[in-house]
C-alpha cells in the first residue's frame, strides 16, 4: 500500500446522461482519492457507472458538478488545458484503438513525437524498450491485424507507458480478449503495479482485484456503496448489495 499522498482527488462528482427524452444519472455524488503508487480497483454490476467514472478522470466524460484534481491541477477549472493534462493520464481501453495502417513500433513512436516532441531516435529507443518490457519485442514490424487481441493490448499498454503518465487508467482492459490471453495481460498489469505505477482499474477479474488492488471501490447505481481493502471487502462485505454481487460472481 502506498503512503497517503493523493495524486487524484475526486469530490462529490455527478453526471447525468440525457437521451430520447429520458435521463440517466450515471454518477451520483462520487468522492474518493487515489494515492501515488496505489492501485484502485473499481468493480460493480454492469451499468453501475464504473467506466463513466474512469473516463471522467481524463475528461473523456465531462461532469455536471463536483471537482476532480489531478496532481494539483483542477480538471474542471476553465483555465486548465485539458489536452495537456490528459497527456499525464494514460488510458487503456477495452478495444485497442491502434492505428491499423502503422506498424507496432510506429504506433508507439508517433504519439511520442506528436505529444512529447521527442526525436525519432529517442522515440524509437523508448518504443523498443517498452516492447521488451511488455514481452513482444519480436513483433515490432507487424501490423495490428497480424496480432492476437492479447498482443494488441500489450501494444496499447506500451503506447500509454511511452507518455510517462503519472497515472494509468484501465477500462475493462481484458474483457475483449479470449480466455487464453487474459492471464498474460493481467500479469503485465500486476508487474506495473509492483513497480509503483499509480493505477485505477475497472475490471471483472476478481482474483486480480484481490491480489493486486490496494483498495476496492464497489459501485452500484452511480454511487460508491463500499470502499475497502480487498481482503476486507471480499471476506466480509458490509452492504447487502455487495454481498449479492459477490454471491453471483464468485
Amino acid at each position: 500500500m502506498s503512503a497517503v499522498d493523493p495524486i487524484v482527488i475526486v469530490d462529490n462528482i455527478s453526471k447525468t446522461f440525457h437521451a430520447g427524452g429520458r435521463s440517466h444519472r450515471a454518477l451520483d455524488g462520487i468522492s474518493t482519492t487515489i494515492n501515488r503508487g496505489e492501485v484502485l480497483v473499481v468493480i460493480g454490476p454492469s451499468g453501475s457507472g464504473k467506466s463513466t467514472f474512469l473516463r471522467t478522470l481524463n475528461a473523456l466524460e465531462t461532469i455536471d458538478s463536483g471537482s476532480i484534481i489531478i496532481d494539483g491541477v483542477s480538471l474542471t477549472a476553465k483555465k486548465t488545458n485539458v489536452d495537456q493534462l490528459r497527456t499525464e493520464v494514460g488510458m487503456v481501453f477495452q478495444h485497442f484503438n491502434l492505428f491499423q495502417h502503422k506498424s507496432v513500433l510506429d504506433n508507439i513512436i508517433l504519439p511520442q513525437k506528436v505529444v512529447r516532441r521527442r526525436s525519432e531516435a529517442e522515440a524509437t529507443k523508448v518504443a523498443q524498450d517498452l516492447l521488451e518490457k511488455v514481452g513482444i519485442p519480436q513483433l515490432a514490424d507487424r501490423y495490428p491485424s497480424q496480432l492476437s487481441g492479447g498482443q494488441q493490448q500489450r501494444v496499447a499498454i506500451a503506447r500509454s507507458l511511452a507518455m510517462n503518465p503519472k497515472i494509468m487508467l484501465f477500462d475493462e482492459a481484458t474483457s475483449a480478449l479470449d480466455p487464453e490471453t487474459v492471464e498474460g495481460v493481467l500479469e503485465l498489469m500486476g508487474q506495473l503495479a509492483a513497480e509503483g505505477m499509480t493505477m485505477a482499474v475497472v475490471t471483472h477479474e476478481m482474483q486480480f482485484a484481490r491480489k493486486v488492488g490496494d483498495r476496492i471501490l464497489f459501485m452500484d447505481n452511480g454511487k460508491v456503496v463500499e470502499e475497502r481493502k480487498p481482503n476486507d471487502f471480499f471476506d466480509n462485505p458490509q452492504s447487502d448489495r455487495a454481498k449479492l454481487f459477490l454471491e453471483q460472481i464468485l
Side-chain angles (χ1 to χ4, degrees):
M1 180 70 181
S2 61
V4 179
D5 179 16
I7 188 171
V8 177
I9 301 172
V10 177
D11 183 25
N12 198 30
I13 66 170
S14 293
K15 171 71 176 181
T16 300
F17 290 106
H18 304 278
R22 306 180 69 175
S23 297
H24 170 64
R25 198 167 179 84
L27 301 176
D28 190 2
I30 302 287
S31 295
T32 192
T33 59
I34 305 173
N35 296 312
R36 292 180 201 277
E38 182 180 33
V39 179
L40 177 70
V41 180
V42 185
I43 64 174
S46 296
S48 59
K50 307 182 300 294
S51 291
T52 301
F53 167 65
L54 207 68
R55 289 167 65 87
T56 66
L57 299 184
N58 65 353
L60 286 177
E61 291 287 358
T62 58
I63 57 175
D64 299 329
S65 59
S67 67
I68 300 172
I69 296 174
I70 308 285
D71 200 24
V73 178
S74 171
L75 199 59
T76 48
K78 290 184 178 179
K79 65 181 180 180
T80 297
N81 184 333
V82 172
D83 289 335
Q84 176 63 39
L85 189 60
R86 199 176 277 148
T87 65
E88 310 295 339
V89 183
M91 188 153 188
V92 179
F93 299 88
Q94 176 178 345
H95 301 290
F96 322 115
N97 297 339
L98 300 176
F99 295 116
Q100 295 298 312
H101 63 291
K102 291 189 175 295
S103 70
V104 164
L105 195 67
D106 284 339
N107 262 280
I108 305 172
I109 289 172
L110 181 62
Q112 296 182 67
K113 293 170 66 176
V114 173
V115 178
R116 294 298 189 199
R117 306 295 183 190
R118 290 173 183 158
S119 68
E120 179 83 22
E122 183 184 6
T124 300
K125 177 66 166 60
V126 169
Q128 290 171 333
D129 289 347
L130 284 170
L131 286 175
E132 191 79 42
K133 182 183 184 69
V134 302
I136 50 170
Q138 75 282 9
L139 302 180
D141 295 329
R142 294 194 187 178
Y143 287 82
S145 62
Q146 299 173 302
L147 307 181
S148 70
Q151 290 167 338
Q152 289 188 67
Q153 196 60 291
R154 288 170 185 263
V155 177
I157 292 171
R159 180 182 57 185
S160 288
L161 291 174
M163 297 293 100
N164 300 112
K166 295 176 179 176
I167 180 172
M168 286 279 284
L169 311 177
F170 292 86
D171 187 12
E172 302 279 18
T174 60
S175 64
L177 306 181
D178 64 73
E180 290 184 351
T181 61
V182 167
E183 194 59 37
V185 173
L186 291 176
E187 286 178 6
L188 174 58
M189 292 166 63
Q191 176 189 335
L192 295 176
E195 293 170 356
M197 174 62 73
T198 306
M199 297 163 59
V201 182
V202 169
T203 185
H204 290 296
E205 301 290 340
M206 295 301 115
Q207 189 173 358
F208 172 88
R210 184 169 197 147
K211 179 181 177 182
V212 179
D214 290 307
R215 192 158 38 96
I216 302 294
L217 195 76
F218 175 67
M219 294 182 62
D220 188 38
N221 286 326
K223 296 178 180 288
V224 175
V225 180
E226 294 195 33
E227 187 172 6
R228 308 172 68 208
K229 292 183 178 179
N231 286 341
D232 292 340
F233 176 78
F234 286 107
D235 293 339
N236 188 27
Q238 297 298 292
S239 64
D240 290 340
R241 185 65 188 91
K243 290 174 184 176
L244 178 62
F245 175 77
L246 292 174
E247 285 174 5
Q248 291 174 334
I249 64 168
L250 294 181

